[in-house]
Amino acid sequence: MTELKRRLSLSALSRIPVPLALLGLTLLSYGALLPWLGVYWDDLAFLWIAEKLGSAGLERYFASARPIWGAFIRADLFLLGSTPWLWQLFAIFWRWVCALALWGFLRLFQPKSPRLALWAALLFVVYPGFDQQFIPVNFAHFFLVYAALLFSFAAMLAAVRGRVDLRRWLWLGLVFSAVNLLCMEYFYLLELLRPLLLWFALEEDFPRWQERLRRTLRIWSPYLALFLGVSIWRTFFFQNQTLAHQPLLLEELRADLLPALGGLAATMLYDWRLTVLSAWGKAFQLADFAVLGRLSTLLYLALTLSITAAAGVYLWQMEKQAAQPSARRHLGQAAALGGLALLLAGWPMWLTQLGVSLEHPASRFTLPFTLGAVLLLAAAFAALPERLRPARAVLLAVLIGASAGYQFLTATQYRRAFDMQKQFFWQMVWRAPALKEGTALLVNDLPMPYVTDNSLSAMLNWIYAPENHSQRMSYMLYFPSLRLHTVLKDLQPGQPIEHNYWAAVFYGSTSQVLAVHFQPPGCLRVLDPEVDVENPTISILMRQSARLADWQWIAPRAGEPAPRPPQQIYGDEPPHGWCYYYQRAELARQQGDWQGAAALGEQAFALNDYPNDPAERFPFIEAYAHLGNWQRALELSRVSAQVTPLIHPAMCRLWQRIAGATPDSAEKENALAQAFQELQCVQTP
């Protein structure tokens, strides 16, 4: 009875339709952490513009690069709003639709090789070279465009093979081809796979090459006309075509042909090796289980092993049901198509010299290569001798399971990055309940992947200027390391800032800035313009930024509601731990409320928590000194000083300020003498 149940269960697994199998794999690979994922990269800008500047703002934003693609995003933002889990589900849906379109297209391309189509589609779902699935607003629409191209191929092949009405489906294929060509450049040249598809598809009906060539050209001609027409529009009439990225390769070819060709050839070979071979190696990189944590490790192992086992059973059942192996001729055609796809895929990057990488953010450039990569790998598996069918099923299952596990590991990194993003903005509003309009934040290079200063600026405006719906942005956030020689004018004071955000413009000055340092597990710190200029625990660039900063731009007014990060994105206010009391004490210190700062210190030090940066004791040292509790001030000073001698120069600055701002007394003089001696301060006259 047990054996019978086992066989029935295996038989039931093999009867799962391919679309449902692809859906299950997509959900398991990308949906395990769905409730805890957030908003990243350009998605922050998209959501802010949609929420505060409306459809007109989105139209301005996308007019500079991809207006047709932007129309799809505008419509979906209107429908889905700004709830992260909805967008994550939306992205999973389009990943599945794209895999489904690939499977259907390959079934029509090679109707006698159904396993080839299945393997390629399964591998496409989990392809580990692309790690930005969890940036949903952006990349859901990449997969929408990709699916349109693949469906266009499928519609054309269905018409050619007599499965549907010829004229109607050829025109349907033309419509979806236009979606790809008009939306973006990533999959643009993959359109040129079409004549090869037609050539192979017409082989049985037109064995003579002359007749087949005429038929191929006849069917291809409207698609070719569309391709040429859109190309002419993009080249000569769409003025913003190369606004962001110039065709640098053409300039190199004109300047020195042979070296430029040699460099191009080396780049092409490197990118093919990266996307076809190295990408799969990422699936087998050992995770750092100490960082991952016990629960996440168990989930990772359970997910990887269960998907591997299910895929192994499913693929083996499919192997047993296969009537015959794929003909060598069909495998050769699949390999030829995959090779041509790889040859065409990289030109948008090669022309503009955007380096393909397996790391964020350049991993997005692997997407055009995925068709060729999975097709060649599937053809390689199909070419194995039939006696190796069990081993083939096992190898494929292991590859699929490990790649799905890798995507889970990637999701944990996105979850951590979003937690860090929440910490940043909540601590910011605790420390700065209001900012004067026109203020720029200069922030260190955050250990927070999947965001840029550009994208964080959107959320900064959402939080601090919720009523601003105009084309003039209220605030901007900059990483000085990126902007030093552009808008920040080498951090020289009094220089105007003008930043075109496409949907709006920011106007400010290098003399109206705050310097912010955030290095978890330490708390966010709005740098002290008097103290942190001599703080070697932060970078030279941030010390220079602190020289420009002034706390006067934090200007809360009585009766005004405190800003809050949008709840639909960041959820409820986190529990009040050490960093909350530190931020409130810093604000009290800025306002001269020494009693309030000291009271917050008592609450903070009573917690089962502690500072992770010696500078986090500074507001309490200063507060206790102002209240005449010199022994407590010295005690905290000594604890911070013991952490690292690098903090001593900043502490000297702090004690010098205390010396000038507190009333004279014998106890004060004694405390100052001890502090200066212990810190080896050089006292200025």
Side-chain angles (χ1 to χ4, degrees):
M1 182 65 71
T2 303
E3 178 65 19
L4 178 60
K5 288 181 178 179
R6 187 184 70 82
R7 290 184 178 181
L8 287 174
S9 64
L10 294 180
S11 176
L13 186 62
S14 69
R15 289 197 299 270
I16 295 177
V18 171
L20 285 182
L22 292 173
L23 178 60
L25 179 60
T26 311
L27 284 170
L28 287 172
S29 299
Y30 302 106
L33 298 179
L34 184 145
W36 298 277
L37 297 171
V39 185
Y40 315 89
W41 208 249
D42 290 343
D43 289 5
L44 287 161
F46 297 163
L47 294 183
W48 169 68
I49 294 169
E51 180 78 15
K52 301 302 177 183
L53 306 184
S55 182
L58 287 169
E59 187 174 355
R60 290 192 300 272
Y61 186 88
F62 289 109
S64 63
R66 299 169 180 156
I68 308 300
W69 185 66
F72 286 104
I73 294 182
R74 285 161 54 197
D76 292 330
L77 282 165
F78 175 77
L79 292 172
L80 297 180
S82 53
T83 304
W85 72 264
L86 278 177
W87 279 107
Q88 294 291 343
L89 195 61
F90 184 74
I92 289 172
F93 170 78
W94 279 108
R95 183 73 174 248
W96 171 64
V97 168
C98 200
L100 201 59
L102 174 64
W103 173 71
F105 148 56
L106 292 177
R107 282 297 308 271
L108 289 164
F109 172 59
Q110 295 288 358
K112 296 181 180 179
S113 302
R115 288 177 297 178
L116 185 76
L118 172 64
W119 298 341
L122 290 171
L123 292 168
F124 179 86
V125 167
V126 296
Y127 178 73
F130 175 71
D131 63 0
Q132 298 183 53
Q133 171 72 28
F134 306 103
I135 304 176
V137 184
N138 213 327
F139 289 103
H141 293 91
F142 273 62
F143 283 109
L144 182 155
V145 175
Y146 209 167
L149 172 67
L150 296 173
F151 183 80
S152 174
F153 288 159
M156 181 191 71
L157 291 175
V160 168
R161 294 194 181 280
R163 306 285 182 89
V164 292
D165 178 74
L166 178 65
R167 186 179 298 273
R168 184 176 302 171
W169 280 76
L170 285 178
W171 279 103
L172 187 62
L174 201 64
V175 170
F176 281 93
S177 174
V179 171
N180 170 52
L181 295 174
L182 290 169
C183 279
M184 63 170 52
E185 64 286 353
Y186 272 61
F187 317 111
Y188 196 86
L189 289 178
L190 291 179
E191 172 65 30
L192 297 180
L193 292 172
R194 202 175 295 273
L196 185 64
L197 289 172
L198 288 169
W199 179 261
F200 289 146
L202 294 169
E203 181 181 28
E204 292 185 4
D205 294 335
F206 301 94
R208 294 181 58 193
W209 72 267
Q210 298 92 336
E211 183 64 25
R212 197 186 340 165
L213 180 60
R214 283 195 292 270
R215 185 71 172 172
T216 297
L217 292 174
R218 180 181 174 187
I219 297 174
W220 184 40
S221 58
Y223 294 97
L224 177 61
L226 174 66
F227 178 81
L228 293 175
V230 174
S231 299
I232 291 170
W233 171 70
R234 279 181 170 270
T235 304
F236 299 106
F237 296 99
F238 182 46
Q239 297 180 353
N240 293 331
Q241 176 64 46
T242 58
L243 191 62
H245 303 292
Q246 299 295 322
L248 302 176
L249 176 62
L250 298 181
E251 297 177 13
E252 286 195 0
L253 290 171
R254 282 194 294 265
D256 204 343
L257 180 62
L258 291 179
L261 287 174
L264 173 62
T267 299
M268 294 169 73
L269 290 172
Y270 174 81
D271 290 348
W272 292 333
R273 178 180 63 80
L274 201 71
T275 54
V276 178
L277 298 176
S278 301
W280 300 102
K282 294 185 73 175
F284 298 98
Q285 293 177 356
L286 289 177
D288 188 340
F289 295 119
V291 174
L292 195 59
R294 181 178 298 177
L295 180 59
S296 293
T297 298
L298 291 174
L299 285 172
Y300 163 69
L301 293 174
L303 188 74
T304 302
L305 294 174
S306 60
I307 290 177
T308 301
V313 172
Y314 187 73
L315 291 169
W316 176 236
Q317 294 296 318
M318 291 295 185
E319 288 278 15
K320 292 197 295 186
Q321 294 173 14
Q324 59 185 4
S326 301
R328 292 289 172 182
R329 177 168 53 87
H330 294 153
L331 293 182
Q333 291 177 354
L337 184 68
L340 182 59
L342 288 174
L343 183 63
L344 296 171
W347 282 103
M349 280 64 73
W350 298 331
L351 280 170
T352 52
Q353 297 189 340
L354 294 170
V356 179
S357 171
L358 299 181
E359 304 299 329
H360 178 88
S363 62
R364 67 188 187 275
F365 301 138
T366 65
L367 272 180
F369 294 90
T370 52
L371 173 59
V374 300
L375 195 50
L376 282 179
L377 187 57
F381 274 110
L384 293 174
E386 286 301 294
R387 68 177 182 275
L388 297 178
R389 286 198 302 170
R392 179 168 61 192
V394 171
L395 287 173
L396 270 167
V398 169
L399 186 58
I400 291 167
S403 298
Y406 167 78
Q407 298 296 356
F408 173 81
L409 293 177
T410 303
T412 64
Q413 295 176 17
Y414 276 88
R415 177 182 59 79
R416 288 196 200 97
F418 188 58
D419 289 343
M420 206 178 298
Q421 196 184 132
K422 286 191 285 188
Q423 291 178 42
F424 179 88
F425 283 116
W426 274 109
Q427 290 190 46
M428 190 67 206
V429 299
W430 292 336
R431 172 63 182 91
L435 293 177
K436 186 173 180 180
E437 187 172 358
T439 299
L441 264 61
L442 308 186
V443 183
N444 63 300
D445 291 343
L446 296 172
M448 188 191 306
Y450 318 123
V451 294
T452 65
D453 58 354
N454 203 55
S455 56
L456 291 173
S457 292
M459 189 52 63
L460 187 70
N461 280 272
W462 192 330
I463 294 169
Y464 282 99
E467 303 304 320
N468 184 2
H469 304 286
S470 72
Q471 294 184 40
R472 181 162 184 157
M473 293 177 71
S474 299
Y475 309 102
M476 208 71 192
L477 186 150
Y478 293 119
F479 297 160
S481 61
L482 296 179
R483 313 286 182 171
L484 180 64
H485 302 303
T486 55
V487 293
L488 295 183
K489 316 288 177 57
D490 295 325
L491 294 177
Q492 296 301 310
Q495 300 299 307
I497 296 174
E498 181 176 344
H499 189 116
N500 186 352
Y501 206 77
W502 304 118
V505 181
F506 172 76
Y507 298 97
S509 167
T510 55
S511 290
Q512 187 179 337
V513 302
L514 287 174
V516 176
H517 187 267
F518 185 49
Q519 190 74 33
C523 302
L524 178 145
R525 293 181 52 234
V526 177
L527 297 182
D528 189 325
E530 296 181 22
V531 171
D532 284 307
V533 292
E534 296 289 344
N535 186 353
T537 66
I538 60 177
S539 69
I540 293 176
L541 203 52
M542 290 311 299
R543 279 177 264 165
Q544 293 173 342
S545 300
R547 291 184 188 277
L548 291 177
D550 196 320
W551 283 359
Q552 69 169 310
W553 312 124
I554 301 173
R557 287 182 289 184
E560 287 190 348
R564 295 177 62 86
Q567 187 172 26
Q568 68 271 33
I569 295 177
Y570 294 111
D572 295 330
E573 185 170 357
H576 293 171
W578 168 267
C579 287
Y580 170 81
Y581 293 104
Y582 164 74
Q583 304 298 353
R584 303 304 291 180
E586 280 281 69
L587 179 62
R589 171 167 71 144
Q590 175 190 336
Q591 297 170 333
D593 181 6
W594 305 114
Q595 197 72 48
L600 287 162
E602 294 303 317
Q603 291 178 274
F605 289 113
L607 296 171
N608 186 24
D609 203 349
Y610 54 88
N612 284 287
D613 186 317
E616 290 170 20
R617 294 182 181 86
F618 284 11
F620 308 115
I621 294 171
E622 196 163 9
Y624 287 125
H626 274 269
L627 295 175
N629 191 347
W630 294 101
Q631 289 307 310
R632 181 62 171 151
L634 280 171
E635 176 188 330
L636 293 178
S637 178
R638 288 170 180 143
V639 174
S640 285
Q642 289 172 1
V643 175
T644 173
L646 292 177
I647 200 66
H648 291 188
M651 295 186 69
C652 288
R653 283 267 189 162
L654 178 68
W655 277 101
Q656 287 164 1
R657 182 166 67 191
I658 291 171
T662 53
D664 293 334
S665 69
E667 191 176 8
K668 168 187 171 179
E669 295 303 320
N670 182 50
L672 289 174
Q674 291 183 62
F676 289 147
Q677 181 181 3
E678 292 168 6
L679 296 170
Q680 297 182 336
C681 300
V682 178
Q683 297 187 54
T684 56

